[in-house]
């Protein structure tokens, strides 16, 4: 069995070739229509051999899709749900999961909807140089997981452990991986919820917590500024309530007829509300003034706030060649400008470091040849993916002729050569006038002309 890639005028294909022709019921069932979740496939009989043409178009294999950004919990969970749905679909077609090509190069992701598509082979097949068993596939997923996503790592290691035992069905392993991740997330949320409740109670009581005292003590030991106190909301709440009571009292006096006692009570309520509003306003203004004073003192301590200046004669400063500065206590010091020696070298602490030119020798570059739309791309780190989808591509080109993930540049392992791989681009990747086949990888050299859609570059 052999896998290669081809294209016609409109579509990109992954071709599985070298299969013997036969009348197996699975081939007849598969030829009748492509099940949901599978790559669309057409069979061609050439000289007694069956060629399966899987339409991949602009889809990306999960190896290419997550080689740079890594597979997070959302994407990994989507892959597990796609496997569960695939098992149900194949069961309806009287097919099994043993003929699914579980390989990072044969499972494709839709770049627009993040849907996953699988390649089904009606006969026993294998990918050259790679084992297609589900156990090997689960092990290979560990290399595609985002190392910073803990939930994704939990699911991946759980799936890998179950696949090694081989005692469960593939769909059951995918379900178990999802359930274990959800249970782990529930355990992590319980203490977090209790901590949030304690924090809410502490804020409501407006009392300093142990953490506040520890922060203050640490700041005093280090000699730094103390942490800012929490803003008390009681004066603001009291003022709002007082205004509301005062306004309600005015409405009652206007709409209802009050006797002598009720009129006195209404006046008393209005007076109390007015007093409470005034006191709350004074407390709010006092708190704001205190904060401004604190900020000003801190800024002054940092040397950026207002300071006490003393008059300085500018003529003396210019003639002496020094410039005055005022310290916190009003003391004046003079700073002499940087001296340059006869050879033109600055003082030791102001010397310019001479960089080694060789640090730029291994930086790959693409120089645009598009007139006013010239785009230059620096590939300081390989591998480097170029496209227009942020998060998936390392270098973004906002051009309609460039695919979401268009091309990837990588090294050959020795650091001597650079390789270029087309990533099923819609408008193609060109090398010196020749269009690369989907997923084709070629070596490039300085001076080669590279085309990405309608954009032309020179590689140096």
């Amino acid at each position: 069995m052999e896998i290669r890639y081809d294209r016609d005028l409109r579509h990109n294909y992954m071709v599985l070739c070298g299969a013997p022709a036969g009348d197996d019921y699975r081939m007849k069932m598969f030829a009748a229509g492509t099940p949901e979740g599978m790559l669309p496939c057409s069979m061609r009989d050439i000289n007694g051999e069956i060629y399966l043409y899987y339409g991949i178009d602009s889809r990306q294999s999960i190896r290419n899709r997550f080689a740079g950004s890594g597979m997070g919990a959302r994407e990994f969970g989507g892959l597990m749900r796609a496997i569960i749905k695939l098992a149900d679909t194949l069961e309806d077609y009287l097919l099994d999961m043993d003929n699914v090509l579980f390989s990072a190069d044969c499972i494709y992701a839709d770049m627009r909807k993040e849907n996953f598509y699988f390649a089904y082979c009606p006969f026993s097949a294998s990918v050259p140089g790679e084992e297609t068993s589900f156990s090997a596939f689960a092990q290979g997923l560990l290399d595609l997981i985002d190392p910073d996503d803990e939930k994704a790592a939990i699911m991946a290691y759980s799936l890998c452990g179950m696949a090694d035992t081989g005692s469960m069905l593939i769909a059951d392993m995918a379900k178990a991986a999802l359930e274990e991740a959800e249970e782990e997330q529930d355990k992590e949320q319980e203490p977090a919820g209790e901590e949030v409740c304690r924090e809410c109670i502490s804020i409501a009581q407006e009392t300093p917590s142990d953490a506040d005292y520890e922060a203050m003590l640490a700041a005093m030991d280090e000699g730094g500024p103390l942490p800012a106190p929490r803003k008390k909301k009681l004066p603001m709440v009291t003022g709002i309530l007082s205004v509301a009571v005062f306004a309600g009292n005015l409405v009652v006096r206007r709409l209802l007829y009050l006797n002598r006692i009720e009129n006195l009570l209404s006046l008393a309520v209005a007076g109390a509300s007015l007093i409470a509003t005034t006191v709350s306003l004074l407390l709010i203004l006092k708190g704001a003034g205190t904060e401004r004073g604190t900020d000003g003192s801190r800024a002054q301590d940092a040397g950026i706030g207002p300071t006490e200046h003393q008059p300085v004669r500018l003529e003396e400063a210019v003639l002496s060649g020094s410039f005055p500065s005022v310290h916190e206590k009003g003391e004046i010091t003079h700073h002499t400008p940087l001296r340059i020696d006869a050879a033109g070298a600055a003082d030791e602490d102001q010397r310019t470091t001479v960089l080694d030119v060789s640090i730029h020798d291994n930086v790959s570059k693409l120089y645009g040849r598009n007139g006013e739309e010239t785009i230059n791309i620096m590939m300081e780190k390989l591998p480097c993916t170029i496209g227009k989808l942020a998060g998936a591509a390392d270098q973004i080109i906002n051009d309609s002729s460039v695919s979401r993930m268009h091309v990837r540049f990588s090294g050959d392992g020795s650091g001597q050569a650079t390789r270029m791989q087309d990533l099923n681009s819609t408008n193609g990747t060109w090398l010196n006038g020749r269009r690369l086949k989907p997923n084709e990888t070629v070596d490039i050299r300085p001076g080669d002309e590279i085309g990405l859609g309608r954009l032309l570059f020179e590689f140096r």
Side-chain angles (χ1 to χ4, degrees):
M1 302 301 299
E2 179 186 356
I3 287 183
R4 60 182 176 86
Y5 298 90
D6 201 356
R7 67 169 288 111
D8 58 18
L9 295 178
R10 295 185 301 172
H11 302 287
N12 295 336
Y13 295 100
M14 181 181 69
V15 183
L16 186 64
C17 53
D23 295 329
D24 190 278
Y25 82 95
R26 291 171 296 186
M27 299 185 68
K28 295 180 180 180
M29 182 70 71
F30 194 65
T34 302
E36 184 180 1
M38 309 296 294
L39 289 171
C41 180
S42 60
M43 298 185 182
R44 304 179 187 179
D45 189 345
I46 303 176
N47 296 329
E49 290 186 339
I50 295 297
Y51 289 78
L52 299 181
Y53 279 71
Y54 297 93
I56 56 178
D57 295 336
S58 60
R59 301 182 183 95
Q60 297 292 335
S61 67
I62 61 174
R63 186 185 304 279
N64 289 336
R65 171 64 181 87
F66 301 108
S69 58
M71 183 183 297
R74 182 175 64 87
E75 293 83 6
F76 193 93
L79 178 60
M80 294 298 102
R81 284 184 284 270
I83 291 176
I84 297 171
K85 186 176 180 180
L86 174 67
D88 295 336
T89 301
L90 292 182
E91 185 177 357
D92 296 338
Y93 278 79
L94 302 178
L95 303 173
D96 52 47
M97 298 282 284
D98 294 336
N99 293 90
V100 177
L101 298 180
F102 281 108
S103 167
D105 294 318
C106 298
I107 300 177
Y108 283 78
D110 192 326
M111 298 299 296
R112 292 172 295 180
K113 301 179 180 180
E114 288 291 355
N115 294 332
F116 294 93
Y117 296 86
F118 300 83
Y120 184 87
C121 181
F123 38 80
S124 298
S126 61
V127 179
E130 182 176 353
E131 187 180 354
T132 56
S133 66
F134 190 79
S135 176
F137 170 69
Q139 185 72 30
L141 286 179
L142 298 177
D143 298 331
L144 300 178
I145 293 298
D146 183 359
D148 298 328
D149 196 320
E150 183 177 356
K151 186 177 179 181
I154 292 174
M155 288 190 287
Y157 280 102
S158 174
L159 180 69
C160 188
M162 291 182 290
D164 288 340
T165 62
S167 59
M168 299 175 61
L169 297 177
I170 294 177
D172 294 338
M173 287 188 284
K175 292 178 182 178
L178 290 174
E179 292 174 357
E180 183 169 346
E182 292 174 357
E183 293 176 358
E184 188 69 21
Q185 184 176 7
D186 293 338
K187 292 179 182 179
E188 293 178 356
Q189 287 179 350
E190 289 178 359
E194 296 176 359
E195 186 68 24
V196 171
C197 292
R198 289 196 296 268
E199 182 68 16
C200 293
I201 294 174
S202 177
I203 294 176
Q205 294 176 347
E206 293 293 343
T207 56
S209 62
D210 295 338
D212 296 329
Y213 289 118
E214 293 177 359
M216 292 180 182
L217 293 176
M220 294 174 64
D221 294 339
E222 297 176 0
L226 295 178
R230 294 174 178 170
K231 298 180 181 179
K232 295 186 177 181
K233 300 181 180 179
L234 183 59
M236 183 176 297
V237 175
T238 304
I240 295 175
L241 292 177
S242 301
V243 173
V245 172
F246 185 80
N249 185 57
L250 292 180
V251 174
V252 171
R253 291 180 61 86
R254 179 175 293 274
L255 298 179
L256 300 179
Y257 176 77
L258 304 178
N259 56 29
R260 183 172 178 273
I261 297 177
E262 294 174 342
N263 186 39
L264 292 177
L265 291 175
S266 176
L267 292 176
V269 170
S273 302
L274 185 60
I275 293 173
T277 302
T278 305
V279 173
S280 300
L281 181 60
L282 292 176
L283 291 176
I284 294 173
L285 293 177
K286 181 180 178 181
T290 303
E291 292 178 1
R292 285 196 299 268
T294 302
D295 296 340
S297 61
R298 291 179 180 175
Q300 184 173 348
D301 292 340
I304 58 175
T307 55
E308 183 180 357
H309 294 276
Q310 294 184 359
V312 180
R313 293 185 62 186
L314 182 60
E315 296 85 357
E316 296 178 0
V318 174
L319 292 176
S320 61
S322 62
F323 301 94
S325 63
V326 184
H327 292 280
E328 298 177 5
K329 299 181 180 180
E331 300 177 357
I332 301 178
T333 58
H334 294 266
H335 300 283
T336 304
L338 179 65
R339 293 189 176 89
I340 307 298
D341 58 20
D347 292 339
E348 184 65 27
D349 58 344
Q350 298 292 332
R351 291 182 183 275
T352 300
T353 302
V354 179
L355 298 178
D356 186 0
V357 180
S358 61
I359 64 173
H360 296 291
D361 290 346
N362 296 325
V363 177
S364 302
K365 311 174 187 66
L366 292 179
Y367 291 90
R369 292 181 174 180
N370 300 281
E372 297 180 356
E373 300 180 358
T374 298
I375 301 174
N376 297 327
I377 302 175
M378 300 286 291
M379 296 179 292
E380 299 179 355
K381 183 179 180 181
L382 297 177
C384 176
T385 302
I386 297 177
K388 61 182 178 183
L389 179 60
D394 301 312
Q395 296 287 346
I396 307 299
I397 299 181
N398 293 318
D399 188 271
S400 59
S401 66
V402 176
S403 299
R404 293 174 177 86
M405 292 179 65
H406 197 107
V407 66
R408 175 176 289 122
F409 293 88
S410 60
D412 63 347
S414 63
Q416 302 298 323
T418 303
R419 292 178 176 176
M420 179 177 66
Q421 179 188 10
D422 176 75
L423 299 178
N424 303 330
S425 59
T426 301
N427 295 304
T429 302
W430 305 75
L431 176 62
N432 297 326
R434 182 183 73 85
R435 182 169 185 171
L436 273 62
K437 294 181 179 180
N439 277 332
E440 181 181 357
T441 302
V442 295
D443 292 336
I444 57 176
R445 297 174 177 81
D448 285 346
E449 183 183 73
I450 295 174
L452 307 180
R454 64 184 174 188
L455 303 179
L456 292 178
F457 299 89
E458 180 183 349
F459 176 73
R460 299 182 189 174

